[in-house]
Amino acid sequence: MTDQRQSRRRGQGELEALVLSVLREADESATAGWVQERLGGDLAYTTVITILTRLLAKGAVTRERVGRSFVWTSASDEAGLAAHKMRKVLDAESDRQAVLASFVTGLGPDDERLLRELLRRTRGEGED
C-alpha cells in the first residue's frame, strides 16, 4: 500500500516558495507555528523550521528573537530566491565565462532583449 503523503511530496524549492509566499502575506513578522498553520498544517513544525532556517542562510528571510522563540519576516521574493540560486550555481563553476556564454546563447529573443535592457539600465547607459 502506498503512503498518500509520499505522492504529495514537494521539492525543497517548492516548499521554500510556499513559505516565502505565506510570509509575504503576513501583516507583520510571523512565528513558525503561524506559517505552519497557514500552509494547511500538512507539514511538520520541524520541517517548517528547517525551511525557514535554509531561507535565512540564503538571505531570503530575517528572524528576530521574541521571548523563547523567533519571528520571521520575508526579506526576498521568489525572484530574489531564484536569483540567489542562479548565483550559487555560477559561483560553483570554475569557468564563469563559459557558463554565462552558454546561458546567454540559450536565451530566446524576448529574454535576450530583456537582458540587454536590464544591463543597459544597471550601467546607466542613456542617462544624461
Side-chain angles (χ1 to χ4, degrees), residues 34-72:
W34 185 91
V35 171
Q36 180 192 25
E37 183 180 303
R38 294 310 178 283
L39 289 171
D42 63 333
L43 290 178
Y45 179 81
T46 54
T47 301
V48 174
I49 291 291
T50 298
I51 295 165
L52 286 166
T53 303
R54 286 180 182 156
L55 289 169
L56 179 67
K58 295 176 180 181
V61 300
T62 60
R63 74 177 180 190
E64 180 182 344
R65 183 171 287 282
V66 175
R68 293 175 48 195
S69 63
F70 292 101
V71 291
W72 305 81

Side-chain angles (χ1 to χ4, degrees):
M1 181 178 215
T2 304
D3 186 344
Q4 285 187 352
R5 287 183 300 166
Q6 199 71 339
S7 64
R8 295 178 55 209
R9 188 172 175 95
R10 290 170 259 193
Q12 178 181 326
E14 182 181 354
L15 290 174
E16 289 176 352
L18 285 170
V19 168
L20 276 176
S21 176
V22 166
L23 279 177
R24 281 195 308 276
E25 292 171 5
D27 293 332
E28 54 190 37
S29 297
T31 65
W34 185 91
V35 171
Q36 180 192 25
E37 183 180 303
R38 294 310 178 283
L39 289 171
D42 63 333
L43 290 178
Y45 179 81
T46 54
T47 301
V48 174
I49 291 291
T50 298
I51 295 165
L52 286 166
T53 303
R54 286 180 182 156
L55 289 169
L56 179 67
K58 295 176 180 181
V61 300
T62 60
R63 74 177 180 190
E64 180 182 344
R65 183 171 287 282
V66 175
R68 293 175 48 195
S69 63
F70 292 101
V71 291
W72 305 81
T73 306
S74 175
S76 179
D77 57 11
E78 289 179 42
L81 186 57
H84 174 81
K85 289 176 185 176
M86 292 167 69
R87 281 191 302 274
K88 189 173 176 181
V89 168
L90 184 60
D91 289 345
E93 297 298 324
S94 59
D95 191 347
R96 294 174 74 89
Q97 182 175 347
V99 173
L100 285 171
S102 180
F103 176 76
V104 170
T105 57
L107 293 175
D110 291 341
D111 287 337
E112 183 181 336
R113 204 171 10 264
L114 177 59
L115 181 58
R116 287 181 189 280
E117 177 58 31
L118 290 170
L119 288 170
R120 209 175 356 266
R121 277 192 242 158
T122 58
R123 290 184 189 141
E125 291 180 15
E127 294 178 8
D128 291 314

